Amino acid sequence: MIDFVKTVFGVSIRRACRAVQAPRSTYHYVARRPPQEMLRKRIRELAETHVRYGYRRIHILLCREGWRVNVKRVRRLYNLEGLQVRLKPPRRRVMAKLRSDRSDAMGPNEVWAMDWMFDETFDGKRLWVLTMIDTWSRVSPGIRVCRSATAMEVVEALDEACQRHGFPRSIRVDQGCQFTSKELDLWAYGNGVVLDFSRPGKPTDNAYAESFNAIVRMECLGQHWFMDLDDAREKLETWRQEYNEVRPHGAIGDRPPSAMLPRPGVDLPIVQPPEFLR
């Protein structure tokens, strides 16, 4: 306020303080508060270790460690650090992992990718298509066609695909409700599979699934009329087998994806695609 009066009316500090009825010592006061960097750092460390602790519990821990600080200061620094506790607890995802350690697959069944697509039959009824792809061999372990996209459909499709190809180490999925469900998390926990979730609004985090969906759309869904659910299942399964056994894939040297899988009694060398195709 004093600076505002000085600037607008062009008066001295003495006259500005007299106008707003404030002592000049208040204007010239310089805070002598000691720096709080060490305390703020310790508060953040405790909050990261105990993610469900609020400022009151953190104040108790600080007092046990010997910090001479009251709860009001802890609350102020706690809020400045943006450490407010969420009232809604996060969804439990036992088999979820962070993306920081994501790396390219070095062999078959290391990483799968899944995603949902939709289409319709000739009479306009909705069809949901669950696509799967092995990110290293480019083999499609399975494609499931159903009327509704539910978590149980995902679990049943994974059971069928794993019976044919074995269990993957991890599966990359988006944040859809079918993939964040308790049913899929329980299935992954029971079979030792890690669910690797992409970031919300970042479809490029699941680029293999998005690329495979584009192939399915162009080469199958966009080329056929589907009379009913059984007809769609038959045509998509026929296309999947042709994709795995016949269709040349540019990312693996124009070979069919099945050529990347090891044969009984034969050890295939691990062949990485050319750098410009990765």
Side-chain angles (χ1 to χ4, degrees):
M1 185 63 182
I2 297 175
D3 290 331
F4 175 77
V5 174
K6 283 176 53 183
T7 304
V8 173
F9 298 99
V11 296
S12 64
I13 297 175
R14 181 191 298 272
R15 297 189 64 180
C17 290
R18 185 184 303 170
V20 300
Q21 298 182 355
R24 280 184 294 163
S25 60
T26 301
Y27 180 81
H28 293 291
Y29 174 77
V30 177
R32 296 180 177 85
R33 180 182 299 166
Q36 305 291 318
E37 285 78 8
M38 296 300 296
L39 179 57
R40 293 179 66 166
K41 179 180 179 181
R42 185 53 183 160
I43 290 174
R44 175 169 287 278
E45 290 175 352
L46 291 174
E48 291 176 351
T49 304
H50 309 281
V51 294
R52 297 302 299 172
Y53 280 16
Y55 72 91
R56 295 185 185 275
R57 285 198 175 99
I58 290 180
H59 172 254
I60 295 173
L61 296 180
L62 290 173
C63 292
R64 290 177 180 176
E65 295 178 359
W67 291 86
R68 298 177 61 87
V69 58
N70 61 24
V71 67
K72 292 183 290 184
R73 176 174 296 182
V74 173
R75 180 182 182 182
R76 178 173 57 83
L77 299 179
Y78 184 86
N79 292 335
L80 289 176
E81 290 292 325
L83 301 174
Q84 292 84 347
V85 177
R86 291 181 59 201
L87 296 179
K88 181 180 179 181
R91 183 188 295 270
R92 179 179 60 184
R93 293 175 184 171
V94 178
M95 299 305 294
K97 74 169 186 176
L98 301 177
R99 296 188 61 257
S100 58
D101 58 345
R102 173 177 284 186
S103 58
D104 294 334
M106 299 300 295
N109 282 355
E110 284 194 10
V111 181
W112 287 7
M114 288 195 310
D115 198 10
W116 281 101
M117 303 177 63
F118 67 88
D119 204 83
E120 58 184 22
T121 56
F122 80 101
D123 54 357
K125 293 183 178 180
R126 178 64 60 93
L127 289 176
W128 285 97
V129 181
L130 177 64
T131 58
M132 307 178 195
I133 186 171
D134 187 316
T135 63
W136 184 82
S137 65
R138 303 309 200 275
V139 168
S140 174
I143 295 180
R144 188 172 185 86
V145 185
C146 50
R147 288 294 187 185
S148 59
T150 62
M152 292 309 301
E153 292 285 354
V154 177
V155 172
E156 292 176 4
L158 284 172
D159 284 334
E160 295 177 2
C162 292
Q163 288 179 0
R164 293 191 297 264
H165 297 272
F167 289 90
R169 293 184 182 178
S170 67
I171 303 178
R172 295 180 183 176
V173 292
D174 57 25
Q175 297 282 341
C177 60
Q178 302 88 358
F179 301 135
T180 60
S181 63
K182 293 181 180 179
E183 291 84 358
L184 182 59
D185 188 64
L186 180 61
W187 178 91
Y189 178 77
N191 294 285
V193 179
V194 176
L195 298 178
D196 188 357
F197 290 95
S198 59
R199 295 169 294 179
K202 299 289 184 179
T204 53
D205 287 350
N206 202 7
Y208 289 99
E210 298 291 341
S211 176
F212 182 61
N213 285 355
I215 296 175
V216 176
R217 178 72 65 183
M218 289 187 298
E219 299 185 5
C220 185
L221 299 183
Q223 301 297 321
H224 298 285
W225 283 103
F226 302 120
M227 299 296 104
D228 51 25
L229 185 62
D230 292 335
D231 183 51
R233 287 173 175 171
E234 180 181 353
K235 290 177 178 177
L236 277 162
E237 179 61 23
T238 300
W239 179 88
R240 187 186 70 86
Q241 294 178 4
E242 180 183 357
Y243 170 87
N244 288 338
E245 303 292 339
V246 179
R247 183 186 184 277
H249 203 299
I252 53 178
D254 292 330
R255 291 175 292 175
S258 60
M260 300 291 289
L261 299 179
R263 304 296 181 183
V266 179
D267 294 331
L268 291 180
I270 297 179
V271 180
Q272 295 293 343
E275 184 68 27
F276 70 92
L277 290 176
R278 294 181 186 175

